[in-house]
Amino acid sequence: MKYTSNISVATAAVAFAATSATAFVTPSTTTRTKTSSSSSSVSISAASAQFQEDLTFTPPDTSNAGEISEQLCTDAAAKMKRVMVPVSNEVSDTGYVGISFIHWEASPSAKTANKTKTLPLLLVHGFDSSALEYRRLGPQLAALGIDVYCVDLLGWGYTQLDAVNSFSAKAKVEALKGFWEAVGNNGEVVVGGASLGGAATIEFAAQNLCKIEVTEDGEETSSGFVRGTVLIDAQGFVDGIGPMSFLPAPLARAGIKVLQSVPLRDSANQMSYYDPSTYATEDALKVGRMHCLRDGWEDGMLSFMQSGGFRPKEKVPLIDVPTLVLWGRQDGILDGEEFANKFVDGMPNARLEWIEECGHVPHLEQPELTAKSIEAFLREEGVRPSKNASAQSAAGIFDGLFNFLN
C-alpha cells in the first residue's frame, strides 16, 4: 500500500541550510473556563483532566482544501482540537495561547487484554511540521492499548499564530509545558520526539524529570512528571541553528520563503526515506506544507530563527529516566552510527533499537514496527505508572471538577 508522507523536520532544516550556504484519552470532559494551575509534584491521570477548548479553531480540511488523499491524514485531522494553555506574558499578553493536538485514545479491548498498565505518551513533531506527522503511528499505538497525545509546537502546525509575542524555542517548550498542565494535569507521562522534536523533548524533559522517593513508611513521594523519553532519529547534539539566527530580517525572510517552497520540500522529502518511490510522493508535499500557508506562519518562523533555536546538547546527560532511542538503519539525514550511539553513551539509562529498511522517519515509513517497540518500552517495569500515579488517578476527577467550578 502506498502512503503519502510528511516532510521530515530536520530534513527540511538540513536541506535549507545547504541551500543557504551557497547564497530549515480525549480528556473525558471539556470546559470553557480557564483551568487553574496544578502542582508538578502531583501525579494525576491525563484522562481525568479538563481543559478550555479554543472555540475559534477549525481543524485543517486536508481532503478538500488540502487535496490530500491519504485516509489516515483525513482521520487524524478530524480528531484535531486546540486548547488554551497557560504561558507567561512574555509569550502572550493574555497569559494563554492556543495549542493544537491530536489524541488517539487507547483501545479499551487492548487495555483489557493486557493487564500491564502504561503511562500516556506525549509526542512532539519535528522541525516546522505538525501533529499530522504521527497520523500512522498514533492509531497503531492506540490499537496496542497506549493513550497518545500528539501536540503541535507553538508557531508550527495549527497552533495560534495571532496575538503571540514570541515563537522562540523557549516559548515552544513553555507552551508544551502549559499543554500538559492543561490537558494532562501534570500527571506522569512519557514524552517522545522525532528529529528536531527530539531537541524539544530533551529540553522539556530536563525541566520536568520525575523524581520518586520512598519514605521510611513505604510511601512514594514525587516531583516532576516525565517518567521516560522516546527519541526517534532525534537531533540532540547541535545547539542553535547556525548563522541563520544572525541574518537581518529581510534576508531571513527570503530564506523562510525558500523553506516554504515546493522544490525544497520535495528535496527534503526524497532525503527522508529508505524507499522514496513508495513514500516520497507528490501528495506528501501537501501534508508537510499545508500549515505553512497559514497567515502568520512566516512571522512565527522568523521569531524562532531569531531566538537561536533549541540548545539540547548539555541537557542530554541530565535525562536519567529510562529512554528508548529508535533509529532508522538507513537514515540519510542523521547517521545513526554516530548520533544514536551518542545518546546511548551520553545518557544514564538509554538503550538503542534499530528500525530496519527505514530512513529518517520510522513513524512514517515503519509505523507498525515503531509502535511495537514503543509499546514494549512503555510496559517495562521502570516506565510503568508509579503507585502514587495510580492513587492519584481517582483524585484527578475531583481536581478537574474544582477547576470547572473555579
Side-chain angles (χ1 to χ4, degrees):
M1 175 180 181
K2 283 200 173 188
Y3 288 112
T4 59
S5 55
N6 197 9
I7 300 296
S8 153
V9 279
T11 314
V14 170
F16 180 48
T19 302
S20 63
T22 61
F24 169 69
V25 179
T26 294
S28 55
T29 307
T30 301
T31 73
R32 293 178 173 83
T33 58
K34 293 181 179 179
T35 56
S36 59
S37 299
S38 54
S39 170
S40 62
S41 63
V42 178
S43 298
I44 297 175
S45 169
S48 63
Q50 299 198 13
F51 60 80
Q52 179 191 1
E53 187 172 345
D54 181 352
L55 299 180
T56 68
F57 178 67
T58 300
D61 182 3
T62 59
S63 59
N64 295 311
E67 298 182 340
I68 296 164
S69 61
E70 185 180 348
Q71 187 60 45
L72 286 174
C73 185
T74 302
D75 295 344
K79 287 179 171 288
M80 189 175 287
K81 297 178 182 288
R82 196 158 74 189
V83 58
M84 302 307 295
V85 310
V87 292
S88 66
N89 293 118
E90 183 179 324
V91 178
S92 171
D93 291 338
T94 66
Y96 284 82
V97 292
I99 296 297
S100 40
F101 71 102
I102 302 169
H103 176 216
W104 279 279
E105 186 175 358
S107 162
S109 60
K111 291 178 71 173
T112 301
N114 197 318
K115 296 182 179 180
T116 303
K117 294 183 178 180
T118 62
L119 291 171
L121 177 64
L122 177 63
L123 287 174
V124 183
H125 62 75
F127 176 81
D128 188 32
S129 185
S130 76
L132 294 176
E133 183 176 318
Y134 291 109
R135 63 192 177 276
R136 296 174 194 159
L137 182 63
Q140 292 279 350
L141 286 166
L144 294 171
I146 309 300
D147 220 21
V148 187
Y149 295 82
C150 301
V151 61
D152 284 339
L153 291 172
L154 180 63
W156 294 335
Y158 298 90
T159 61
Q160 177 182 334
L161 295 177
D162 62 312
V164 178
N165 298 329
S166 174
F167 297 94
S168 67
K170 178 182 177 183
K172 284 173 167 53
V173 175
E174 184 179 329
L176 185 59
K177 169 67 167 65
F179 172 82
W180 196 241
E181 177 182 332
V183 173
N185 257 343
N186 285 343
E188 291 183 359
V189 68
V190 173
V191 61
S195 199
L196 193 69
T201 293
I202 291 164
E203 295 213 15
F204 175 77
Q207 295 177 17
N208 302 289
L209 290 172
C210 184
K211 305 292 184 183
I212 300 176
E213 297 181 357
V214 180
T215 66
E216 293 181 355
D217 298 330
E219 297 292 327
E220 286 187 355
T221 61
S222 65
S223 61
F225 50 82
V226 174
R227 288 283 313 284
T229 61
V230 177
L231 301 176
I232 306 173
D233 293 68
Q235 199 285 90
F237 298 100
V238 178
D239 286 342
I241 59 174
M244 293 301 299
S245 60
F246 301 106
L247 287 179
L251 288 178
R253 286 187 183 277
I256 290 170
K257 289 290 188 184
V258 174
L259 180 60
Q260 187 187 48
S261 70
V262 170
L264 180 121
R265 295 269 165 174
D266 181 59
S267 175
N269 205 35
Q270 296 293 329
M271 296 167 62
S272 297
Y273 298 100
Y274 166 71
D275 181 9
S277 63
T278 299
Y279 297 96
T281 64
E282 181 179 352
D283 195 34
L285 297 177
K286 299 172 185 176
V287 183
R289 188 171 178 265
M290 188 174 176
H291 70 278
C292 302
L293 306 178
R294 301 174 63 219
D295 291 340
W297 170 83
E298 184 178 312
D299 291 337
M301 182 62 75
L302 179 63
S303 174
F304 172 73
M305 290 173 61
Q306 292 180 331
S307 78
F310 296 103
R311 310 193 71 82
K313 188 175 181 179
E314 293 184 357
K315 302 178 182 72
V316 170
L318 304 179
I319 310 301
D320 57 0
V321 294
T323 295
L324 174 64
V325 180
L326 291 175
W327 220 274
R329 179 75 76 174
Q330 289 80 23
D331 188 341
I333 305 298
L334 295 174
D335 178 36
E337 292 295 339
E338 177 182 358
F339 293 107
N341 286 305
K342 268 190 175 182
F343 281 116
V344 175
D345 294 340
M347 302 177 83
N349 195 4
R351 64 178 175 83
L352 169 64
E353 285 190 26
W354 295 100
I355 305 297
E356 302 296 340
E357 297 185 354
C358 185
H360 186 62
V361 283
H363 49 298
L364 286 166
E365 194 164 17
Q366 296 285 4
E368 185 174 354
L369 291 176
T370 302
K372 288 180 179 178
S373 291
I374 293 175
E375 183 216 6
F377 171 71
L378 292 175
R379 296 196 189 281
E380 291 178 1
E381 185 174 356
V383 195
R384 294 175 196 168
S386 68
K387 294 178 181 178
N388 191 37
S390 300
Q392 291 292 343
S393 180
I397 298 174
F398 296 101
D399 181 82
L401 176 61
F402 294 146
N403 283 340
F404 175 75
L405 294 176
N406 289 332

